[in-house]
Amino acid sequence: MNLTERDRQYLWHPYTQHKTAAPPIAIVKGEGAMLWDDTNKEYIDAIASWWVNPFGHSNRFIADAIYKQLTTLEHVLFGGFTHEPAVLVAEKLMELLPNNQKKLFFSDNGSTAVEVAIKVALQYFFNKGEKRTTIIAFENAFHGDTFAAMAASGISFYTQAFEGMFIDVVRIPVPVRGKEEESFAALRAAIISHKVAGFIFEPLVQGAAGMVMYEAEALDELLLICAKNQVLTIADEVMTGFGKTGKTFACDYIQEKPDMMCLSKALTGGTIPMAITTFTQELFDGFYSDDINKALFHGHTFTANPTGCAAALASFELLQTEAMQANIARVHESHLAFEKRIRTHTKVSTTRVLGVIFALEIKTEGQAAYYGSLRNQLYDFFIENGIILRPVGNIVYILPPYIISNAQLEKVYQTIEKALEIV
């Protein structure tokens, strides 16, 4: 049996209906922006393997840092213990984060980073003797697959089997251009009518919704409304963090700063699962007490794993190099040039670019299904042509490794143009 056949004997894949899905592609090697399957067919990884791999596959600099850490201390429990890699990550990250972020909590993926933030928002008020039970989130948000993160997410078919089991969440419109006032009014109304603990948002870009973008000024106004009403704010930077939007964090574009930030994906350069939730000093102090019951009772076996910390430190160093910043700017300029040539295509309704993120929307009659026939036709076409892209309904987006070459980007663009001719 080949690798795919062996896989199908035992493995259950994410977001997959195994009865109807095509067999998984067996990848055996990666280097830079490229992946190779077991038939030696090559693919350009144009979405950085679900947005985690900004510095390229098999990055030697990160690999060397991991190896060095593995031969020193691979793991130690973080309850009652500490180690230098974790302290270094905190020290380095504080140099990159907004100035109001003072404490960080390790976990193991983006969903759990969000879970921690929501639990902190709810317990912060509970510790003060005030019960607030509602979280506000954007429509069509996606924050993860654990229960509180699912509750805050708005893509219904992901969550419909669990309706009636969630915490209380009120959804407000995304403040896209022309709908800002509607969003502001909905936030004010939700705060008046509910006991709101926090507002969670994907800053400037809703990834899983199809790279829906909105302006920093609108987000600033939403955060001001929350601040005036003592509502905690949670920036889910799991997708946008570490350079994706052109700045280190999407929150670097806004004047008002969130009370909490959720980080994962590119945190370790796509190597080891790890996540971090960061907090203001005021939030930490809300749990600082002689009363043990006011502690944050949350943890993961691999919290602050030293090997993951070593990978994160290497990733921070790579991100801050002049060469990597130049790569981010180069990809951005390349996207802008492609947007200019594709925006007037007869089958394209809208285009958008922010940092290394590009998205276009294909004209359709009615709303395209998230995993519908158009999406599947596009996905299959891209795979046949050696490009890994995962369209969202009728939206095609690119979010490549920063080190992707101009020639590789051009091949991605040309393949999208060819795809438009067949749909």
Side-chain angles (χ1 to χ4, degrees):
M1 291 190 292
N2 63 26
L3 191 57
T4 296
E5 291 167 338
R6 290 161 57 199
D7 171 286
R8 295 183 75 176
Q9 278 193 299
Y10 303 113
L11 297 181
W12 194 341
H13 288 259
Y15 308 118
T16 300
Q17 174 47 264
H18 280 268
K19 186 172 183 178
T20 57
I25 298 165
I27 298 298
V28 297
K29 185 178 73 169
E31 184 176 341
M34 303 301 299
L35 293 166
W36 285 265
D37 70 16
D38 57 354
T39 69
N40 208 35
K41 180 178 177 178
E42 63 181 29
Y43 303 83
I44 299 174
D45 186 356
I47 56 168
S49 285
W50 265 340
W51 322 334
V52 303
N53 195 298
F55 313 119
H57 296 283
S58 304
N59 184 283
R60 183 55 60 89
F61 185 74
I62 300 177
D64 287 345
I66 290 171
Y67 173 77
K68 183 179 179 182
Q69 187 59 50
L70 282 171
T71 58
T72 304
L73 175 66
E74 78 299 336
H75 182 65
V76 64
L77 70 162
F78 209 57
F81 295 84
T82 192
H83 50 80
E84 187 172 42
V87 174
L88 282 172
V89 165
E91 291 171 344
K92 297 291 185 183
L93 199 50
M94 289 302 164
E95 296 174 7
L96 302 176
L97 287 164
N99 291 334
N100 70 332
Q101 300 299 298
K102 300 298 182 184
K103 296 289 183 180
L104 63 81
F105 190 96
F106 284 95
S107 58
D108 57 355
N109 63 69
S111 183
T112 52
V114 167
E115 204 81 9
V116 170
I118 292 175
K119 287 177 71 173
V120 165
L122 297 170
Q123 189 179 339
Y124 173 78
F125 290 104
F126 179 85
N127 283 357
K128 294 170 65 176
E130 182 180 355
K131 192 168 185 180
R132 299 197 188 186
T133 57
T134 299
I135 299 293
I136 297 173
F138 281 142
E139 294 170 353
N140 298 319
F142 181 75
H143 296 290
D145 294 321
T146 51
F147 253 71
M150 259 201 306
S153 299
I155 301 175
S156 62
F157 67 89
Y158 280 10
T159 59
Q160 62 188 11
F162 311 103
E163 287 182 13
M165 307 178 198
F166 292 134
I167 60 172
D168 184 29
V169 174
V170 175
R171 307 188 200 287
I172 64 172
V174 183
V176 294
R177 192 165 295 165
K179 292 190 175 181
E180 294 92 344
E181 292 300 328
E182 182 183 343
S183 183
F184 304 157
L187 177 60
R188 292 189 185 100
I191 292 171
I192 290 170
S193 58
H194 294 79
K195 294 181 178 180
V196 178
F199 165 48
I200 187 168
F201 57 92
E202 297 160 274
L204 306 190
V205 188
Q206 285 191 302
M211 302 300 163
V212 174
M213 298 181 186
Y214 61 98
E215 298 299 322
E217 292 78 10
L219 183 54
D220 272 322
E221 180 61 26
L222 292 171
L223 295 188
L224 274 171
I225 294 169
C226 288
K228 289 175 182 176
N229 290 277
Q230 294 78 52
V231 170
L232 299 174
T233 52
I234 304 166
D236 180 352
E237 292 251 18
V238 170
M239 186 276 281
T240 52
F242 303 105
K244 306 278 187 21
T245 64
K247 295 191 177 186
T248 304
F249 300 108
C251 287
D252 293 338
Y253 286 94
I254 59 179
Q255 299 301 311
E256 302 299 314
K257 300 304 180 185
D259 298 298
M260 293 173 261
M261 294 175 65
C262 304
L263 312 174
S264 190
K265 288 196 181 290
L267 173 63
T268 64
T271 55
I272 293 174
M274 177 171 278
I276 290 172
T277 311
T278 70
F279 307 93
T280 62
Q281 186 67 43
E282 180 182 357
L283 278 171
F284 178 81
D285 290 345
F287 291 73
Y288 192 76
S289 171
D290 291 324
D291 183 355
I292 185 65
N293 293 318
K294 290 187 176 181
L296 176 60
F297 287 104
H298 191 100
H300 299 269
T301 304
F302 285 92
T303 295
N305 170 253
T307 312
C309 288
L313 289 166
S315 295
F316 298 165
E317 188 172 343
L318 281 174
L319 178 64
Q320 292 180 284
T321 61
E322 289 185 12
M324 202 59 65
Q325 290 299 311
N327 277 330
I328 292 171
R330 174 182 56 82
V331 172
H332 176 68
E333 291 300 320
S334 183
H335 283 350
L336 289 176
F338 179 53
E339 182 188 38
K340 187 176 181 180
R341 87 187 197 212
I342 200 71
R343 61 162 54 127
T344 57
H345 193 287
T346 56
K347 293 185 179 178
V348 173
S349 60
T350 62
T351 58
R352 43 194 177 268
V353 175
L354 182 63
V356 302
I357 306 167
F358 169 89
L360 66 81
E361 187 170 353
I362 298 172
K363 292 177 182 177
T364 57
E365 293 184 10
Q367 186 173 358
Y370 201 87
Y371 284 109
S373 59
L374 174 60
R375 178 267 178 200
N376 294 337
Q377 182 185 9
L378 289 164
Y379 176 79
D380 291 344
F381 180 82
F382 294 136
I383 289 296
E384 288 168 11
N385 285 272
I387 309 291
I388 298 176
L389 291 170
R390 288 179 63 89
V392 178
N394 63 327
I395 296 165
V396 177
Y397 74 87
I398 311 167
L399 205 169
Y402 308 156
I403 50 77
I404 191 170
S405 71
N406 290 337
Q408 289 165 338
L409 273 173
E410 182 57 29
K411 182 177 178 182
V412 175
Y413 299 150
Q414 290 180 6
T415 306
I416 291 173
E417 288 173 319
K418 291 176 183 175
L420 291 174
E421 302 308 316
I422 67 160
V423 296

